[in-house]
Amino acid sequence: MRLSHTYFYHPEYAENNESVIQHFEKQGISMQKIQNALGRKNRFIVPGESEETSLSMGIEAAKGVLGESKISISDIDIIVFVSNTPEHQIPCDAIQIHYALEGKPETLCYDINANCIGGFIALDQVSRYLASSESAQKALIICAEKMSRVLDPQNPITAFCLSDSSFAFIIEDNGNAASGLIDVLYHTDSSFCNTVLYPPNGHSCHNLQDKAPWDRIFDGMGSVDFALDHISNFLKRNHTTIEQIDLFLFSQFSIKNINIIMESLHLPAKKVPFYSEELGYTGASSPFLALHQYQKKVNRLQKGDSVLIWTLGTGYQAGLMLWKY
């Protein structure tokens, strides 16, 4: 199994968080603690007058990864669209992407909404499907968010945090059982299920002006504890040590959380990339965008390199994945 083609698309407009910081500081709200925890300077935002949607951005990312990889849409057997903010529910947006790209009839299409762990789950599912299928060989996964549509601009966390963007990657079954997905471990603590809600009162009471509330008790620390409690045994059961991991792809939600894991496990900073400071937080695509940026700016992974992925989604759910490049 191979993950070798990635593409990042974002709106042209980049918002510098300095203006957001000043807005809240004038209200007597200290933003330094939030800045230190999240680590943000810039975010990409779809302007209010723009017609861009999560779907249109997803289509652009899909076209981009197909173009750069020189892989034809006729070779794609699965299309998965991952989003908290899909443009449609009926039909699923993966069908819309299939139509826009002129995909072949023999294509499986479906959407996933698992919040920020959605891309991780899609990679898990697709890898297992390809490995067991007698005919399917390539899958296109697209993660796209237009979170500015649902987030509260008066909440100092949500106003500061997420980028509107899309990200696409291709998974290929290359017949090499020694590469690709090695193991996955999940952890769910549903006691946080009401800390971040959209629509806040459910679709049955949905108002177009609704924004997603964010309770500050949800800071991702439970998923950090999960990582610290389980990474060593997770690697041990796969006959791997921390030192043998070539790259750690961690959720880009919080630099504070990354630093806690990095310091606790004595990980070298050069193996733990963080790009949300310059790009904003991109949700489900964040660990894969970190891979994209790392290979673009630092170093390309080599065949046989080991990657450990840790990420989380609101509600909350967290996961660990061991991937052999």
Short mmCIF file of all heavy atoms in Angstrom, two decimals, residues 204-241:
data_model
loop_
_atom_site.label_atom_id
_atom_site.label_comp_id
_atom_site.label_asym_id
_atom_site.label_seq_id
_atom_site.Cartn_x
_atom_site.Cartn_y
_atom_site.Cartn_z
N SER A 204 -33.21 19.41 13.73
CA SER A 204 -34.65 19.59 13.89
C SER A 204 -35.01 21.00 14.33
O SER A 204 -36.13 21.46 14.13
CB SER A 204 -35.21 18.58 14.91
OG SER A 204 -34.60 18.75 16.17
N CYS A 205 -34.03 21.71 14.92
CA CYS A 205 -34.25 23.11 15.36
C CYS A 205 -33.23 24.04 14.72
O CYS A 205 -32.89 25.09 15.30
CB CYS A 205 -34.15 23.20 16.89
SG CYS A 205 -35.30 22.15 17.79
N HIS A 206 -32.77 23.69 13.54
CA HIS A 206 -31.68 24.44 12.91
C HIS A 206 -32.12 25.82 12.43
O HIS A 206 -33.19 25.98 11.85
CB HIS A 206 -31.12 23.65 11.73
CG HIS A 206 -29.98 24.30 11.03
ND1 HIS A 206 -28.96 24.93 11.70
CD2 HIS A 206 -29.69 24.41 9.71
CE1 HIS A 206 -28.09 25.40 10.83
NE2 HIS A 206 -28.51 25.10 9.62
N ASN A 207 -31.29 26.81 12.72
CA ASN A 207 -31.48 28.17 12.23
C ASN A 207 -30.27 28.52 11.38
O ASN A 207 -29.13 28.19 11.71
CB ASN A 207 -31.58 29.12 13.43
CG ASN A 207 -31.91 30.54 13.02
OD1 ASN A 207 -31.18 31.16 12.24
ND2 ASN A 207 -33.00 31.07 13.54
N LEU A 208 -30.49 29.20 10.28
CA LEU A 208 -29.38 29.53 9.38
C LEU A 208 -28.32 30.40 10.03
O LEU A 208 -27.18 30.44 9.57
CB LEU A 208 -29.92 30.24 8.13
CG LEU A 208 -30.72 29.37 7.15
CD1 LEU A 208 -31.25 30.22 6.00
CD2 LEU A 208 -29.85 28.23 6.60
N GLN A 209 -28.68 31.09 11.10
CA GLN A 209 -27.71 31.95 11.78
C GLN A 209 -26.94 31.20 12.88
O GLN A 209 -26.10 31.80 13.55
CB GLN A 209 -28.44 33.15 12.40
CG GLN A 209 -29.27 33.94 11.40
CD GLN A 209 -28.48 34.39 10.18
OE1 GLN A 209 -27.37 34.88 10.31
NE2 GLN A 209 -29.05 34.18 9.00
N ASP A 210 -27.22 29.93 13.06
CA ASP A 210 -26.56 29.15 14.11
C ASP A 210 -25.05 29.10 13.92
O ASP A 210 -24.56 28.98 12.77
CB ASP A 210 -27.09 27.71 14.14
CG ASP A 210 -28.42 27.59 14.86
OD1 ASP A 210 -28.78 28.54 15.58
OD2 ASP A 210 -29.07 26.55 14.71
N LYS A 211 -24.33 29.20 15.02
CA LYS A 211 -22.89 29.00 15.02
C LYS A 211 -22.54 27.92 16.03
O LYS A 211 -23.27 27.69 17.00
CB LYS A 211 -22.16 30.31 15.39
CG LYS A 211 -22.41 31.46 14.41
CD LYS A 211 -21.88 31.15 13.03
CE LYS A 211 -22.14 32.30 12.06
NZ LYS A 211 -21.70 31.98 10.67
N ALA A 212 -21.42 27.25 15.80
CA ALA A 212 -21.03 26.15 16.68
C ALA A 212 -20.44 26.69 17.98
O ALA A 212 -19.42 27.39 17.95
CB ALA A 212 -20.02 25.25 15.98
N PRO A 213 -21.04 26.38 19.14
CA PRO A 213 -20.42 26.78 20.41
C PRO A 213 -19.22 25.89 20.71
O PRO A 213 -19.13 24.77 20.21
CB PRO A 213 -21.55 26.54 21.42
CG PRO A 213 -22.37 25.45 20.82
CD PRO A 213 -22.30 25.65 19.33
N TRP A 214 -18.30 26.38 21.51
CA TRP A 214 -17.11 25.62 21.88
C TRP A 214 -16.86 25.80 23.37
O TRP A 214 -16.52 26.88 23.83
CB TRP A 214 -15.90 26.11 21.09
CG TRP A 214 -14.67 25.25 21.23
CD1 TRP A 214 -14.02 24.91 22.38
CD2 TRP A 214 -13.94 24.62 20.17
NE1 TRP A 214 -12.94 24.11 22.12
CE2 TRP A 214 -12.86 23.92 20.76
CE3 TRP A 214 -14.10 24.59 18.78
CZ2 TRP A 214 -11.95 23.19 20.00
CZ3 TRP A 214 -13.18 23.88 18.04
CH2 TRP A 214 -12.12 23.18 18.63
N ASP A 215 -17.07 24.72 24.11
CA ASP A 215 -16.82 24.74 25.55
C ASP A 215 -15.32 24.57 25.79
O ASP A 215 -14.71 23.63 25.29
CB ASP A 215 -17.59 23.60 26.22
CG ASP A 215 -17.61 23.72 27.73
OD1 ASP A 215 -16.57 24.10 28.31
OD2 ASP A 215 -18.65 23.42 28.34
N ARG A 216 -14.74 25.46 26.58
CA ARG A 216 -13.29 25.44 26.79
C ARG A 216 -12.79 24.20 27.53
O ARG A 216 -11.58 23.97 27.58
CB ARG A 216 -12.85 26.69 27.54
CG ARG A 216 -12.97 27.96 26.71
CD ARG A 216 -12.21 29.10 27.34
NE ARG A 216 -12.44 30.35 26.65
CZ ARG A 216 -11.72 31.44 26.84
NH1 ARG A 216 -10.75 31.43 27.74
NH2 ARG A 216 -11.98 32.54 26.18
N ILE A 217 -13.70 23.44 28.12
CA ILE A 217 -13.23 22.22 28.79
C ILE A 217 -12.73 21.20 27.79
O ILE A 217 -11.99 20.28 28.15
CB ILE A 217 -14.32 21.59 29.69
CG1 ILE A 217 -15.47 21.04 28.85
CG2 ILE A 217 -14.81 22.57 30.73
CD1 ILE A 217 -16.44 20.20 29.67
N PHE A 218 -13.12 21.37 26.51
CA PHE A 218 -12.56 20.48 25.49
C PHE A 218 -11.29 21.13 24.93
O PHE A 218 -11.33 22.05 24.12
CB PHE A 218 -13.55 20.23 24.35
CG PHE A 218 -12.96 19.34 23.27
CD1 PHE A 218 -12.73 18.01 23.52
CD2 PHE A 218 -12.62 19.86 22.03
CE1 PHE A 218 -12.16 17.20 22.55
CE2 PHE A 218 -12.05 19.07 21.05
CZ PHE A 218 -11.83 17.73 21.31
N ASP A 219 -10.15 20.63 25.39
CA ASP A 219 -8.86 21.15 24.93
C ASP A 219 -7.97 20.07 24.32
O ASP A 219 -6.82 20.32 23.99
CB ASP A 219 -8.12 21.84 26.09
CG ASP A 219 -7.88 20.90 27.27
OD1 ASP A 219 -8.19 19.69 27.16
OD2 ASP A 219 -7.39 21.38 28.32
N GLY A 220 -8.51 18.88 24.18
CA GLY A 220 -7.74 17.79 23.57
C GLY A 220 -6.82 17.06 24.53
O GLY A 220 -6.13 16.12 24.12
N MET A 221 -6.79 17.46 25.80
CA MET A 221 -5.84 16.85 26.73
C MET A 221 -6.12 15.37 26.98
O MET A 221 -5.21 14.60 27.25
CB MET A 221 -5.84 17.61 28.06
CG MET A 221 -5.00 18.87 28.04
SD MET A 221 -3.28 18.56 27.53
CE MET A 221 -2.74 17.42 28.78
N GLY A 222 -7.38 14.97 26.89
CA GLY A 222 -7.69 13.55 27.03
C GLY A 222 -7.01 12.72 25.97
O GLY A 222 -6.51 11.61 26.25
N SER A 223 -6.96 13.24 24.75
CA SER A 223 -6.30 12.51 23.66
C SER A 223 -4.78 12.51 23.83
O SER A 223 -4.10 11.59 23.38
CB SER A 223 -6.67 13.13 22.31
OG SER A 223 -6.16 14.44 22.18
N VAL A 224 -4.25 13.56 24.49
CA VAL A 224 -2.82 13.59 24.80
C VAL A 224 -2.50 12.49 25.82
O VAL A 224 -1.52 11.74 25.66
CB VAL A 224 -2.40 14.97 25.36
CG1 VAL A 224 -0.95 14.94 25.84
CG2 VAL A 224 -2.59 16.04 24.28
N ASP A 225 -3.33 12.37 26.85
CA ASP A 225 -3.14 11.32 27.84
C ASP A 225 -3.22 9.94 27.19
O ASP A 225 -2.44 9.03 27.52
CB ASP A 225 -4.19 11.43 28.95
CG ASP A 225 -4.03 12.69 29.78
OD1 ASP A 225 -2.91 13.25 29.81
OD2 ASP A 225 -5.03 13.13 30.39
N PHE A 226 -4.18 9.78 26.27
CA PHE A 226 -4.30 8.52 25.53
C PHE A 226 -3.01 8.20 24.79
O PHE A 226 -2.51 7.07 24.83
CB PHE A 226 -5.48 8.60 24.55
CG PHE A 226 -5.40 7.65 23.39
CD1 PHE A 226 -5.61 6.29 23.56
CD2 PHE A 226 -5.10 8.12 22.11
CE1 PHE A 226 -5.53 5.42 22.48
CE2 PHE A 226 -5.02 7.27 21.03
CZ PHE A 226 -5.24 5.90 21.22
N ALA A 227 -2.46 9.20 24.10
CA ALA A 227 -1.22 8.99 23.35
C ALA A 227 -0.07 8.59 24.28
O ALA A 227 0.66 7.63 24.02
CB ALA A 227 -0.86 10.24 22.56
N LEU A 228 0.08 9.33 25.38
CA LEU A 228 1.17 9.05 26.31
C LEU A 228 1.01 7.68 26.97
O LEU A 228 2.00 6.99 27.25
CB LEU A 228 1.25 10.14 27.37
CG LEU A 228 1.64 11.53 26.86
CD1 LEU A 228 1.60 12.55 27.99
CD2 LEU A 228 3.02 11.51 26.21
N ASP A 229 -0.22 7.28 27.23
CA ASP A 229 -0.48 6.00 27.89
C ASP A 229 -0.31 4.80 26.96
O ASP A 229 -0.04 3.69 27.43
CB ASP A 229 -1.91 5.97 28.47
CG ASP A 229 -2.09 6.89 29.66
OD1 ASP A 229 -1.06 7.31 30.24
OD2 ASP A 229 -3.25 7.22 29.99
N HIS A 230 -0.46 5.03 25.64
CA HIS A 230 -0.54 3.88 24.74
C HIS A 230 0.53 3.80 23.66
O HIS A 230 0.69 2.73 23.06
CB HIS A 230 -1.92 3.86 24.07
CG HIS A 230 -3.05 3.54 25.01
ND1 HIS A 230 -3.70 4.50 25.73
CD2 HIS A 230 -3.60 2.35 25.35
CE1 HIS A 230 -4.63 3.93 26.48
NE2 HIS A 230 -4.59 2.64 26.27
N ILE A 231 1.23 4.88 23.36
CA ILE A 231 2.19 4.83 22.26
C ILE A 231 3.23 3.73 22.46
O ILE A 231 3.52 2.95 21.54
CB ILE A 231 2.87 6.20 22.05
CG1 ILE A 231 1.92 7.15 21.31
CG2 ILE A 231 4.16 6.06 21.25
CD1 ILE A 231 2.46 8.55 21.09
N SER A 232 3.81 3.64 23.64
CA SER A 232 4.88 2.66 23.86
C SER A 232 4.40 1.23 23.64
O SER A 232 5.04 0.44 22.93
CB SER A 232 5.45 2.81 25.28
OG SER A 232 6.10 4.06 25.42
N ASN A 233 3.25 0.87 24.24
CA ASN A 233 2.73 -0.48 24.07
C ASN A 233 2.24 -0.73 22.65
O ASN A 233 2.35 -1.86 22.13
CB ASN A 233 1.59 -0.74 25.07
CG ASN A 233 2.10 -0.94 26.48
OD1 ASN A 233 3.25 -1.34 26.69
ND2 ASN A 233 1.25 -0.66 27.47
N PHE A 234 1.68 0.32 22.02
CA PHE A 234 1.23 0.20 20.63
C PHE A 234 2.41 -0.14 19.72
O PHE A 234 2.32 -1.03 18.87
CB PHE A 234 0.58 1.52 20.20
CG PHE A 234 0.12 1.55 18.77
CD1 PHE A 234 -0.95 0.76 18.35
CD2 PHE A 234 0.74 2.37 17.83
CE1 PHE A 234 -1.38 0.79 17.02
CE2 PHE A 234 0.31 2.41 16.52
CZ PHE A 234 -0.75 1.63 16.11
N LEU A 235 3.53 0.55 19.91
CA LEU A 235 4.72 0.26 19.12
C LEU A 235 5.31 -1.10 19.49
O LEU A 235 5.76 -1.86 18.61
CB LEU A 235 5.75 1.36 19.31
CG LEU A 235 5.38 2.74 18.75
CD1 LEU A 235 6.48 3.75 19.06
CD2 LEU A 235 5.11 2.68 17.25
N LYS A 236 5.28 -1.42 20.77
CA LYS A 236 5.84 -2.69 21.23
C LYS A 236 5.12 -3.87 20.61
O LYS A 236 5.75 -4.86 20.20
CB LYS A 236 5.77 -2.77 22.76
CG LYS A 236 6.44 -4.00 23.34
CD LYS A 236 6.39 -3.97 24.86
CE LYS A 236 7.06 -5.21 25.46
NZ LYS A 236 7.03 -5.17 26.95
N ARG A 237 3.80 -3.79 20.52
CA ARG A 237 3.05 -4.90 19.94
C ARG A 237 3.31 -5.05 18.44
O ARG A 237 2.99 -6.08 17.84
CB ARG A 237 1.56 -4.75 20.24
CG ARG A 237 0.75 -3.87 19.31
CD ARG A 237 -0.68 -3.77 19.80
NE ARG A 237 -1.55 -3.12 18.84
CZ ARG A 237 -2.81 -2.77 19.07
NH1 ARG A 237 -3.34 -3.00 20.29
NH2 ARG A 237 -3.57 -2.21 18.14
N ASN A 238 3.89 -4.00 17.84
CA ASN A 238 4.28 -4.06 16.44
C ASN A 238 5.79 -4.18 16.26
O ASN A 238 6.31 -3.91 15.17
CB ASN A 238 3.75 -2.82 15.71
CG ASN A 238 2.24 -2.85 15.54
OD1 ASN A 238 1.72 -3.61 14.74
ND2 ASN A 238 1.53 -2.04 16.32
N HIS A 239 6.45 -4.57 17.35
CA HIS A 239 7.90 -4.82 17.33
C HIS A 239 8.69 -3.63 16.79
O HIS A 239 9.61 -3.76 15.98
CB HIS A 239 8.20 -6.07 16.47
CG HIS A 239 7.33 -7.25 16.81
ND1 HIS A 239 7.45 -7.94 18.00
CD2 HIS A 239 6.29 -7.83 16.13
CE1 HIS A 239 6.53 -8.91 18.05
NE2 HIS A 239 5.82 -8.86 16.92
N THR A 240 8.27 -2.44 17.26
CA THR A 240 8.89 -1.19 16.84
C THR A 240 9.19 -0.35 18.07
O THR A 240 8.44 -0.38 19.05
CB THR A 240 7.93 -0.41 15.91
OG1 THR A 240 7.57 -1.24 14.79
CG2 THR A 240 8.59 0.87 15.38
N THR A 241 10.26 0.41 18.01
CA THR A 241 10.61 1.31 19.10
C THR A 241 10.41 2.76 18.67
O THR A 241 10.31 3.06 17.47
CB THR A 241 12.07 1.13 19.53
OG1 THR A 241 12.93 1.54 18.44
CG2 THR A 241 12.36 -0.33 19.89
#
